[in-house]
Amino acid sequence: MVNYSDDPKWADITPIPQDDGGPHPLAAIAYSDEYSEAMGYLRAVMAKEEHSERVLDLTEHIIEMNPAHYTVWLYRAKTLKELNFDLKTEIEWLNPAALKHLKNYQIWHHRQTIISQLNDPAGETDFIDTMLGPDSKNYHVWSYRQWLVKQFGLWKGEEGQKELDWVDGMIGDDVRNNSAWNHRWFVVFGCGEENIRDEAIVNREMGYAKAAIHKAPQNQSPWNYLHGIIRGSKTALSSLKDFALQFASLENPDDVHSSHALDLLAMIYAQDEDTKEKARQAFDLLANKYDPVRKPYWNYRKETLVN
Amino acid sequence: MSASSSAATSQAQSQTQSQTSRASSRLEDILAEPPSPRIETLDSEEEEYEDVMEDPIPAQSQSPSLESQFSGLKLFDIPIHDTLETETSIVQEETLDTILPYLEGNPNKFDLNSHGIPHLQRKKHVKFLEIALGEYPAQFAAMDASRPWLLYWSLQGLTALGEDVSAYRERIVYTFQSCQHPTGGFGGGHGQLPHLAGSYASILSLVIVGTPLAYTSIHRRAMWHYLGHMKQPSGGFTMAANGEEDIRGAFCAMVILSLLNLPLELPSDAPARKKGMTGFLDGLGEWIGRCQSYEGGISAAPGNEAHGAYAFCGLACLCILGAPATTLPKYLDMDLLIHWLSSRQCAPEGGYNGRTNKLVDGCYSHWIGSCWSLVEAAVSGKKKEQMRSLWDRNALARYILSAAQSKKGGLIDKPGKRPDAYHTCYNLAGLSAVQNRYYYDAEEEEDGGVKISDEDGEKGEMTTTLDASFKWKVELGKGVGKERVWDDEDQVNVVHPVFIVPWGQAEKCRQYFEENPGF
């Protein structure tokens, strides 16, 4: 156990003891002596705004005991900056900690602060790969990757192609991984306006989504992606009619392979006065047979068809 | 506004058992900050866990009498099933195998209501939350920064169950005093830096207490300065100084400004003023609009994946800015939003997931269920008779009562998971969204939302008008008509749809600070 009170290095500091609030605090934690002492010294150095090497040691010690402590992370980040500390060393220290505490907000934000100051993303994408191994939909990891792509322009040129190949691999591993689809959107359309106006890119991405739909027609991720492209590029919805008919048609109401195809057909039929009745049929089929948990929603859509 | 009906509950007998707290906190990747790890060391939890897992319940094993009781509640068929196997579909199938026995039978052997669904296990949940408010052993140090959350979830859960929490009043105020930072805002505990999540949980807890002592314990002027430091040139808010900027920040800041009746002008020391911002609301609606993803849901920050908890933060934030029928369509594509929200309801489970192709989880009973309260008000007519119903409330009620109640008390993510204060609070808030019908009383609406003065307010003349969220009305118990699947005794106390505190408490706090606006 690390002991501060007997350490001459810390002799000049008077720790500030814990106060949980009044004589009978609620949800109080019976801290270990080690944690309690370390926190007492942290409160004291924070009060005198000390930023030093020993503060780095102290914050490291507390983070080992409680990685979910945002105060310690923020104070450590500030200390690193004040000391002009070698940030590569910090990242090396951070890597095993991040793997141990996957769902921790602080670690990712700290990493973002450090990489931002280093102004160099080298090695980061490989590290993210490792992190997604045990949890391929981890929200923090994906959000961090999006920050990285944006911050360092990794959606453009050769880097952009590498990013696209990587996310293609993620979708290939699990075509239902919606986080990967969202990232693909971010890389292709989320960083600038130009790609959604580029017909070749729009066609390529629509083809990509359609191919994925063929693999598993009831998987909503590529359908949402397809709808996003249609909306963004202002392509006529009706251009998808033949595609949708491959998975559902009102002529064969017992042979529907995708409720999402039926939904799309309903949208297309709703656009034209002559086919409004068909839209109603599609909504009925969804409400009563293929997607009854959303019956109130399908009925709402039916009722709000503009006459 | 009328108060809620008070559910019949007796003041639970004081629990003198030893402090084997089983309120492990699982905050996951949602609103809470910071996430606490699940702590695996407590014996009572292991027992609980094994109990659930050991019950041998083949999928079709209910007794004939039970079967007939369940007959009116046929589970949804899932007629379309892709054959391609991926990690997502494998985990989904495994999860369904775990959940189905709880929807088709009664492995926990709970008392059933008149619809063949388990009753709300009120007393057990009360006991669980009382323990959650107690002392924690040293292994819980990881929750050191989350104590305000534990208090809020437990207090909100207890009041939803009809408990009177006034016995805790003074202890709550003292506990939060230790978290309040001299420069404004609340942190996770003594000496911790102020944080918007901690501030949010602290303010809501003090609103639940609802006494002048609780109100005046808040340093409002310091809070206003602290919030000023969180405002960003993008229009959004960070959670802490040099912390992450995400939609929780925007939501928490608006909740606090509105409840405490704080001025909407940025304080003169707010860094965002140097970037041309003058008010807290500058660019805010637009920033939230940028968080709507191509899927229609709302994400933590622009470009991220749409997520149920962030969706609620975004929608509730817009509902603080003005009437839902005005502010939601102004900044969001409503058709797309509703399509995405609707897609979150899982079949046959009936509960909600938080993202496309993710698993059902009891906490989204609130994060998505409460979105519906706001969205239904936005798309319906101005009269309560015109209220639309866009989702299957009974299906969610069944998931909560059948699959999200832990055998020994507390509510859960899904069968096999441990109860915690977080899932208890938000399953119960979801039940309030199911059971009641909220509507926005546009009659009280004067100018269609927020008024922002053109010039910087002079000292002493600053006013706020973030009062939209105090115009909600509720029809108690009218969530579903005669065909509902719960009994009167399964009803929870109604929760405010935006603030998630007991009905009437937000209004009371606001009124106090309208009468005492100075700081």
Side-chain angles (χ1 to χ4, degrees):
Chain A
M1 166 173 162
V2 186
N3 187 312
Y4 296 93
S5 55
D6 296 336
D7 188 341
K9 211 171 77 183
W10 289 92
D12 59 311
I13 299 287
T14 309
I16 300 177
Q18 174 72 23
D19 170 14
D20 287 327
H24 303 291
L26 290 163
I29 301 166
Y31 304 102
S32 68
D33 291 345
E34 183 178 4
Y35 185 80
S36 208
E37 193 195 30
M39 282 303 295
Y41 278 84
L42 180 76
R43 280 187 285 270
V45 295
M46 282 176 66
K48 60 191 277 266
E49 294 187 49
E50 174 182 325
H51 297 287
S52 60
E53 292 269 354
R54 70 177 180 181
V55 166
L56 290 183
D57 294 340
L58 177 64
T59 53
E60 183 174 340
H61 181 210
I62 297 171
I63 285 166
E64 272 168 25
M65 291 185 281
N66 178 9
H69 209 315
Y70 66 87
T71 297
V72 186
W73 285 107
L74 290 171
Y75 198 68
R76 182 178 177 89
K78 196 164 180 204
T79 304
L80 291 168
K81 203 172 176 187
E82 296 284 327
L83 293 181
N84 212 2
F85 192 80
D86 175 28
L87 297 177
K88 293 266 183 201
T89 312
E90 181 69 1
I91 286 293
E92 278 163 29
W93 171 74
L94 211 51
N95 285 353
L99 279 167
K100 225 164 108 186
H101 308 287
L102 278 176
K103 287 204 168 180
N104 183 300
Y105 267 85
Q106 285 70 39
I107 277 184
W108 290 102
H109 182 68
H110 188 69
R111 194 172 190 98
Q112 190 171 317
T113 306
I114 304 297
I115 294 294
S116 178
Q117 283 168 21
L118 266 175
N119 200 24
D120 177 9
E124 284 306 280
T125 52
D126 289 344
F127 179 72
I128 288 169
D129 243 3
T130 322
M131 293 293 292
L132 288 174
D135 182 3
S136 63
K137 299 177 181 179
N138 186 301
Y139 201 86
H140 303 309
V141 180
W142 284 104
S143 300
Y144 177 66
R145 184 138 188 151
Q146 276 133 34
W147 172 80
L148 208 66
V149 165
K150 185 107 186 168
Q151 180 83 2
F152 296 101
L154 306 183
W155 81 92
K156 292 180 287 201
E158 208 175 298
E159 292 292 338
Q161 190 56 48
K162 262 165 71 182
E163 192 65 13
L164 208 55
D165 291 345
W166 174 77
V167 78
D168 175 50
M170 292 301 292
I171 293 173
D173 288 347
D174 182 352
V175 74
R176 298 181 179 93
N177 185 343
N178 196 63
S179 303
W181 282 97
N182 183 75
H183 192 69
R184 186 174 183 99
W185 179 274
F186 186 76
V187 174
V188 180
F189 300 118
C191 297
E193 298 279 313
E194 60 271 22
N195 284 356
I196 199 76
R197 294 199 210 99
D198 185 324
E199 204 183 323
I201 292 176
V202 164
N203 286 336
R204 181 191 76 195
E205 292 305 304
M206 291 216 293
Y208 189 85
K210 286 177 180 176
I213 288 168
H214 276 291
K215 285 184 192 167
Q218 191 55 19
N219 171 19
Q220 197 172 21
S221 294
W223 287 102
N224 285 349
Y225 194 80
L226 193 57
H227 277 282
I229 300 170
I230 289 283
R231 250 190 337 271
S233 63
K234 301 189 170 63
T235 307
L237 201 59
S238 55
S239 66
L240 290 177
K241 189 174 163 187
D242 288 341
F243 177 72
L245 284 170
Q246 297 175 55
F247 307 100
S249 88
L250 296 175
E251 279 67 47
N252 292 304
D254 293 328
D255 191 31
V256 168
H257 298 276
S258 171
S259 65
H260 310 305
L262 208 47
D263 181 9
L264 173 56
L265 282 175
M267 280 183 194
I268 294 168
Y269 291 142
Q271 289 181 326
D272 196 332
E273 198 52 50
D274 298 340
T275 50
K276 281 268 162 71
E277 187 47 39
K278 283 188 163 185
R280 283 189 194 93
Q281 284 174 30
F283 286 132
D284 283 341
L285 213 47
L286 284 161
N288 300 322
K289 183 162 182 178
Y290 288 107
D291 198 24
V293 75
R294 271 164 278 284
K295 187 173 187 165
Y297 171 66
W298 298 123
N299 285 339
Y300 164 74
R301 289 269 298 274
K302 197 170 75 167
E303 287 161 21
T304 49
L305 276 175
V306 185
N307 288 311
Chain B
M1 292 187 187
S2 67
S4 64
S5 66
S6 129
T9 44
S10 60
Q11 183 75 20
Q13 293 165 353
S14 63
Q15 303 298 324
T16 51
Q17 64 199 81
S18 63
Q19 301 294 350
T20 49
S21 296
R22 67 171 81 110
S24 89
S25 158
R26 187 183 148 236
L27 319 188
E28 236 189 33
D29 49 355
I30 36 98
L31 185 80
E33 169 76 20
S36 308
R38 206 183 271 227
I39 292 170
E40 308 285 352
T41 50
L42 297 179
D43 295 336
S44 62
E45 296 221 17
E46 292 301 334
E47 274 169 38
E48 172 93 45
Y49 190 66
E50 282 166 16
D51 264 358
V52 172
M53 299 314 284
E54 276 173 5
D55 265 348
I57 333 116
Q60 312 290 337
S61 71
Q62 67 265 41
S63 65
S65 63
L66 246 185
E67 212 161 70
S68 60
Q69 275 179 300
F70 274 85
S71 59
L73 295 166
K74 203 168 157 289
L75 283 172
F76 295 112
D77 289 330
I78 11 175
I80 305 175
H81 196 89
D82 289 332
T83 49
L84 177 75
E85 267 198 355
T86 64
E87 190 185 335
T88 296
S89 65
I90 291 167
V91 179
Q92 170 60 28
E93 286 303 311
E94 288 169 359
T95 302
L96 199 52
D97 286 347
T98 313
I99 295 174
L100 270 182
Y102 291 82
L103 297 175
E104 293 175 330
N106 181 21
N108 287 325
K109 301 182 181 65
F110 288 140
D111 293 340
L112 299 179
N113 68 19
S114 62
H115 310 276
I117 299 276
H119 276 300
L120 179 65
Q121 303 296 302
R122 199 179 292 271
K123 282 186 180 163
K124 287 182 180 177
H125 302 325
V126 167
K127 196 170 129 191
F128 175 82
L129 290 174
E130 285 175 345
I131 293 170
L133 282 172
E135 198 175 309
Y136 290 78
Q139 302 95 296
F140 281 82
M143 296 189 331
D144 197 10
S146 317
R147 281 180 61 223
W149 278 119
L150 274 174
L151 263 72
Y152 165 66
W153 293 326
S154 302
L155 293 168
Q156 173 49 36
L158 284 168
T159 58
L161 291 163
E163 288 296 294
D164 175 3
V165 295
S166 59
Y168 293 113
R169 275 178 184 170
E170 290 198 349
R171 291 172 67 191
I172 293 167
V173 175
Y174 287 131
T175 302
F176 284 113
Q177 272 311 321
S178 70
C179 304
Q180 191 160 202
H181 200 270
T183 60
F186 291 75
H190 174 218
Q192 297 184 29
L193 294 171
H195 197 282
L196 263 176
S199 299
Y200 169 87
S202 301
I203 297 294
L204 291 193
S205 302
L206 293 167
V207 165
I208 292 172
V209 170
T211 59
L213 177 69
Y215 298 149
T216 53
S217 73
I218 304 161
H219 302 152
R220 281 167 72 237
R221 178 170 279 277
M223 176 66 88
W224 179 60
H225 280 277
Y226 164 67
L227 294 176
H229 274 85
M230 299 301 106
K231 180 71 180 178
Q232 299 301 305
S234 63
F237 290 78
T238 54
M239 296 299 286
N242 300 313
E244 65 274 22
E245 178 183 348
D246 64 46
I247 205 162
R248 295 170 308 155
F251 169 60
C252 295
M254 286 305 116
V255 164
I256 295 167
L257 284 173
S258 177
L259 285 169
L260 302 187
N261 189 31
L262 292 171
L264 296 181
E265 291 82 357
L266 282 170
S268 56
D269 58 351
R273 275 198 175 269
K274 295 200 183 85
K275 307 275 182 179
M277 301 252 151
T278 57
F280 279 104
L281 310 187
D282 292 359
L284 178 58
E286 290 79 7
W287 188 85
I288 290 170
R290 296 218 310 279
C291 292
Q292 184 173 33
S293 89
Y294 69 94
E295 290 195 278
I298 299 175
S299 58
N304 298 156
E305 186 182 5
H307 184 295
Y310 299 120
F312 178 78
C313 291
L315 296 180
C317 187
L318 290 177
C319 286
I320 293 173
L321 296 184
T326 308
T327 54
L328 266 54
K330 183 171 177 190
Y331 298 109
L332 301 170
D333 180 330
M334 292 302 285
D335 289 345
L336 207 55
L337 171 73
I338 293 170
H339 187 270
W340 180 84
L341 282 174
S342 181
S343 298
R344 301 280 60 74
Q345 195 158 20
C346 301
E349 299 94 317
Y352 280 96
N353 65 15
R355 299 184 249 164
T356 304
N357 284 330
K358 290 274 284 178
L359 301 172
V360 65
D361 179 337
C363 71
Y364 296 111
S365 305
H366 159 63
W367 295 123
I368 301 288
S370 298
C371 281
W372 283 126
S373 308
L374 310 178
V375 166
E376 285 181 346
V379 300
S380 298
K382 289 188 174 180
K383 295 206 172 74
K384 65 183 176 192
E385 296 77 26
Q386 298 170 316
M387 280 304 292
R388 289 183 177 281
S389 185
L390 301 179
W391 57 298
D392 193 324
R393 288 172 150 89
N394 270 340
L396 178 61
R398 177 167 57 186
Y399 181 79
I400 296 171
L401 294 170
S402 302
Q405 298 196 90
S406 177
K407 188 172 185 174
K408 291 179 182 170
L411 287 99
I412 52 178
D413 162 351
K414 58 177 73 64
K417 302 278 186 178
R418 287 164 225 208
D420 53 41
Y422 166 80
H423 282 91
T424 304
C425 172
Y426 290 130
N427 267 299
L428 294 173
L431 209 46
S432 176
V434 161
Q435 292 173 335
N436 302 296
R437 193 166 288 266
Y438 297 97
Y439 62 101
Y440 188 80
D441 193 354
E443 300 294 306
E444 286 194 22
E445 187 67 12
E446 284 162 15
D447 299 313
V450 174
K451 290 172 280 189
I452 306 166
S453 60
D454 291 332
E455 6 179 324
D456 293 355
E458 290 295 310
K459 228 178 187 179
E461 287 184 347
M462 295 191 287
T463 53
T464 69
T465 48
L466 276 186
D467 58 354
S469 292
F470 304 98
K471 293 170 182 170
W472 287 82
K473 295 274 165 67
V474 63
E475 287 197 282
L476 292 175
K478 295 279 175 63
V480 179
K482 275 183 292 190
E483 69 281 17
R484 68 179 200 183
V485 300
W486 64 90
D487 291 346
D488 284 346
E489 63 180 284
D490 305 321
Q491 212 127 292
V492 293
N493 274 6
V494 62
V495 173
H496 190 285
V498 174
F499 296 115
I500 317 302
V501 293
W503 192 267
Q505 289 304 93
E507 294 79 358
K508 193 175 151 191
C509 174
R510 169 75 181 204
Q511 193 185 345
Y512 181 88
F513 288 120
E514 282 182 3
E515 287 162 6
N516 301 276
F519 61 36

